[in-house]
Short mmCIF file of all heavy atoms in Angstrom, two decimals:
data_model
loop_
_atom_site.label_atom_id
_atom_site.label_comp_id
_atom_site.label_asym_id
_atom_site.label_seq_id
_atom_site.Cartn_x
_atom_site.Cartn_y
_atom_site.Cartn_z
N ALA Z 1 -3.88 6.37 -8.02
CA ALA Z 1 -3.25 6.22 -9.34
C ALA Z 1 -2.57 4.86 -9.57
O ALA Z 1 -2.29 4.51 -10.74
CB ALA Z 1 -2.24 7.35 -9.52
N ALA Z 2 -2.44 4.12 -8.48
CA ALA Z 2 -1.69 2.83 -8.63
C ALA Z 2 -2.61 1.65 -8.94
O ALA Z 2 -3.77 1.70 -8.68
CB ALA Z 2 -0.99 2.56 -7.27
N ALA Z 3 -2.01 0.64 -9.47
CA ALA Z 3 -2.70 -0.62 -9.76
C ALA Z 3 -2.39 -1.56 -8.58
O ALA Z 3 -1.25 -1.69 -8.12
CB ALA Z 3 -2.23 -1.23 -11.05
N ALA Z 4 -3.43 -2.20 -8.08
CA ALA Z 4 -3.23 -3.17 -6.93
C ALA Z 4 -2.41 -4.35 -7.36
O ALA Z 4 -2.52 -4.86 -8.48
CB ALA Z 4 -4.58 -3.60 -6.44
N VAL Z 5 -1.54 -4.81 -6.48
CA VAL Z 5 -0.70 -5.97 -6.66
C VAL Z 5 -0.86 -6.88 -5.43
O VAL Z 5 -0.83 -6.36 -4.32
CB VAL Z 5 0.80 -5.56 -6.80
CG1 VAL Z 5 1.65 -6.78 -6.90
CG2 VAL Z 5 0.99 -4.64 -7.98
N PRO Z 6 -1.14 -8.15 -5.67
CA PRO Z 6 -1.25 -9.08 -4.49
C PRO Z 6 0.04 -9.04 -3.69
O PRO Z 6 1.14 -8.93 -4.27
CB PRO Z 6 -1.49 -10.45 -5.11
CG PRO Z 6 -1.91 -10.19 -6.48
CD PRO Z 6 -1.31 -8.86 -6.90
N PRO Z 7 -0.05 -9.12 -2.35
CA PRO Z 7 1.18 -9.14 -1.57
C PRO Z 7 2.27 -10.12 -1.95
O PRO Z 7 3.44 -9.80 -1.94
CB PRO Z 7 0.67 -9.45 -0.15
CG PRO Z 7 -0.73 -8.99 -0.15
CD PRO Z 7 -1.25 -9.25 -1.54
N ASP Z 8 1.84 -11.26 -2.47
CA ASP Z 8 2.85 -12.29 -2.87
C ASP Z 8 3.46 -11.98 -4.24
O ASP Z 8 4.38 -12.70 -4.73
CB ASP Z 8 2.26 -13.67 -2.79
CG ASP Z 8 1.15 -13.92 -3.78
OD1 ASP Z 8 0.57 -12.90 -4.30
OD2 ASP Z 8 0.72 -15.06 -3.97
N ALA Z 9 3.03 -10.93 -4.89
CA ALA Z 9 3.53 -10.58 -6.19
C ALA Z 9 4.32 -9.24 -6.18
O ALA Z 9 4.76 -8.72 -7.20
CB ALA Z 9 2.41 -10.42 -7.25
N LEU Z 10 4.54 -8.69 -4.94
CA LEU Z 10 5.30 -7.41 -4.84
C LEU Z 10 6.72 -7.61 -5.35
O LEU Z 10 7.36 -8.59 -5.15
CB LEU Z 10 5.31 -7.01 -3.32
CG LEU Z 10 4.10 -6.39 -2.77
CD1 LEU Z 10 4.23 -6.28 -1.27
CD2 LEU Z 10 3.74 -5.10 -3.40
N LEU Z 11 7.17 -6.56 -6.04
CA LEU Z 11 8.53 -6.45 -6.52
C LEU Z 11 9.16 -5.22 -5.92
O LEU Z 11 8.48 -4.28 -5.58
CB LEU Z 11 8.58 -6.36 -8.11
CG LEU Z 11 8.09 -7.54 -8.82
CD1 LEU Z 11 8.08 -7.18 -10.33
CD2 LEU Z 11 8.98 -8.75 -8.63
N PRO Z 12 10.50 -5.23 -5.77
CA PRO Z 12 11.17 -4.00 -5.29
C PRO Z 12 10.67 -2.77 -6.08
O PRO Z 12 10.61 -2.86 -7.32
CB PRO Z 12 12.65 -4.30 -5.46
CG PRO Z 12 12.72 -5.82 -5.33
CD PRO Z 12 11.48 -6.27 -6.03
N GLY Z 13 10.40 -1.74 -5.40
CA GLY Z 13 9.94 -0.50 -6.02
C GLY Z 13 8.44 -0.33 -5.98
O GLY Z 13 7.93 0.80 -6.22
N ASP Z 14 7.69 -1.38 -5.71
CA ASP Z 14 6.25 -1.23 -5.62
C ASP Z 14 5.90 -0.40 -4.40
O ASP Z 14 6.61 -0.38 -3.38
CB ASP Z 14 5.57 -2.58 -5.52
CG ASP Z 14 5.53 -3.36 -6.83
OD1 ASP Z 14 5.77 -2.74 -7.89
OD2 ASP Z 14 5.26 -4.57 -6.76
N LEU Z 15 4.81 0.31 -4.49
CA LEU Z 15 4.34 1.12 -3.32
C LEU Z 15 3.51 0.24 -2.37
O LEU Z 15 2.75 -0.65 -2.91
CB LEU Z 15 3.54 2.29 -3.83
CG LEU Z 15 4.26 3.32 -4.67
CD1 LEU Z 15 3.24 4.39 -5.19
CD2 LEU Z 15 5.38 3.95 -3.91
N VAL Z 16 3.69 0.43 -1.10
CA VAL Z 16 2.88 -0.21 -0.09
C VAL Z 16 2.15 0.86 0.68
O VAL Z 16 2.71 1.85 1.08
CB VAL Z 16 3.70 -1.13 0.79
CG1 VAL Z 16 4.16 -2.36 0.04
CG2 VAL Z 16 4.89 -0.47 1.40
N PHE Z 17 0.78 0.65 0.85
CA PHE Z 17 -0.05 1.66 1.44
C PHE Z 17 -0.57 1.21 2.78
O PHE Z 17 -0.85 0.05 2.99
CB PHE Z 17 -1.21 2.03 0.50
CG PHE Z 17 -0.75 2.59 -0.77
CD1 PHE Z 17 -0.56 1.81 -1.91
CD2 PHE Z 17 -0.50 3.96 -0.90
CE1 PHE Z 17 -0.15 2.31 -3.08
CE2 PHE Z 17 -0.04 4.50 -2.04
CZ PHE Z 17 0.13 3.69 -3.22
N PHE Z 18 -0.85 2.18 3.69
CA PHE Z 18 -1.33 1.88 5.00
C PHE Z 18 -2.37 2.90 5.40
O PHE Z 18 -2.32 4.09 5.00
CB PHE Z 18 -0.14 2.00 6.01
CG PHE Z 18 0.97 1.08 5.72
CD1 PHE Z 18 2.01 1.54 4.91
CD2 PHE Z 18 1.00 -0.22 6.21
CE1 PHE Z 18 3.07 0.72 4.64
CE2 PHE Z 18 2.06 -1.03 5.89
CZ PHE Z 18 3.11 -0.60 5.12
N ALA Z 19 -3.36 2.46 6.19
CA ALA Z 19 -4.29 3.33 6.81
C ALA Z 19 -3.97 3.35 8.28
O ALA Z 19 -4.26 2.42 9.02
CB ALA Z 19 -5.71 2.84 6.58
N THR Z 20 -3.22 4.35 8.75
CA THR Z 20 -2.80 4.40 10.10
C THR Z 20 -3.83 5.04 11.03
O THR Z 20 -3.74 4.99 12.23
CB THR Z 20 -1.45 5.13 10.29
OG1 THR Z 20 -1.63 6.54 9.87
CG2 THR Z 20 -0.33 4.53 9.47
N GLY Z 21 -4.83 5.70 10.41
CA GLY Z 21 -5.88 6.36 11.17
C GLY Z 21 -7.21 5.68 11.02
O GLY Z 21 -7.36 4.54 11.28
N ARG Z 22 -8.13 6.38 10.42
CA ARG Z 22 -9.51 5.92 10.33
C ARG Z 22 -9.87 5.46 8.93
O ARG Z 22 -10.54 6.15 8.17
CB ARG Z 22 -10.48 7.04 10.70
CG ARG Z 22 -10.39 7.50 12.10
CD ARG Z 22 -11.48 8.55 12.31
NE ARG Z 22 -11.49 8.96 13.66
CZ ARG Z 22 -12.63 8.82 14.42
NH1 ARG Z 22 -13.70 8.35 13.95
NH2 ARG Z 22 -12.55 9.21 15.64
N ASN Z 23 -9.37 4.33 8.53
CA ASN Z 23 -9.73 3.63 7.31
C ASN Z 23 -9.18 4.20 6.04
O ASN Z 23 -9.02 3.51 5.05
CB ASN Z 23 -11.25 3.51 7.14
CG ASN Z 23 -11.85 2.75 8.29
OD1 ASN Z 23 -11.28 1.85 8.82
ND2 ASN Z 23 -13.07 3.13 8.61
N ALA Z 24 -8.84 5.51 5.97
CA ALA Z 24 -8.34 6.11 4.75
C ALA Z 24 -6.79 5.89 4.64
O ALA Z 24 -6.13 5.98 5.70
CB ALA Z 24 -8.68 7.59 4.71
N VAL Z 25 -6.30 5.67 3.45
CA VAL Z 25 -4.86 5.57 3.28
C VAL Z 25 -4.23 6.93 3.66
O VAL Z 25 -4.60 7.94 3.11
CB VAL Z 25 -4.50 5.17 1.83
CG1 VAL Z 25 -3.07 5.35 1.52
CG2 VAL Z 25 -4.94 3.74 1.59
N ASP Z 26 -3.24 6.85 4.52
CA ASP Z 26 -2.49 8.07 4.89
C ASP Z 26 -1.02 7.86 5.06
O ASP Z 26 -0.31 8.73 5.58
CB ASP Z 26 -3.11 8.70 6.19
CG ASP Z 26 -3.06 7.69 7.36
OD1 ASP Z 26 -2.54 6.54 7.21
OD2 ASP Z 26 -3.47 8.09 8.46
N HIS Z 27 -0.51 6.73 4.60
CA HIS Z 27 0.91 6.45 4.71
C HIS Z 27 1.30 5.53 3.54
O HIS Z 27 0.53 4.66 3.13
CB HIS Z 27 1.26 5.78 6.05
CG HIS Z 27 2.68 5.70 6.35
ND1 HIS Z 27 3.50 6.81 6.55
CD2 HIS Z 27 3.52 4.66 6.43
CE1 HIS Z 27 4.73 6.48 6.77
NE2 HIS Z 27 4.80 5.14 6.71
N VAL Z 28 2.54 5.72 3.06
CA VAL Z 28 3.01 4.92 1.91
C VAL Z 28 4.53 4.71 2.05
O VAL Z 28 5.23 5.52 2.72
CB VAL Z 28 2.70 5.71 0.55
CG1 VAL Z 28 3.42 7.07 0.49
CG2 VAL Z 28 3.07 4.85 -0.67
#
């Protein structure tokens, strides 16, 4: 549901996503 933001444009409150397992996002 989110719009991608380049890392250098992050603002407080933006969501950051991680794939801690096998390629799929599973952490925020």
Side-chain angles (χ1 to χ4, degrees):
V5 175
D8 63 347
L10 285 171
L11 293 174
D14 285 345
L15 296 175
V16 289
F17 297 95
F18 304 90
T20 63
R22 295 183 176 240
N23 300 328
V25 166
D26 59 359
H27 192 66
V28 62

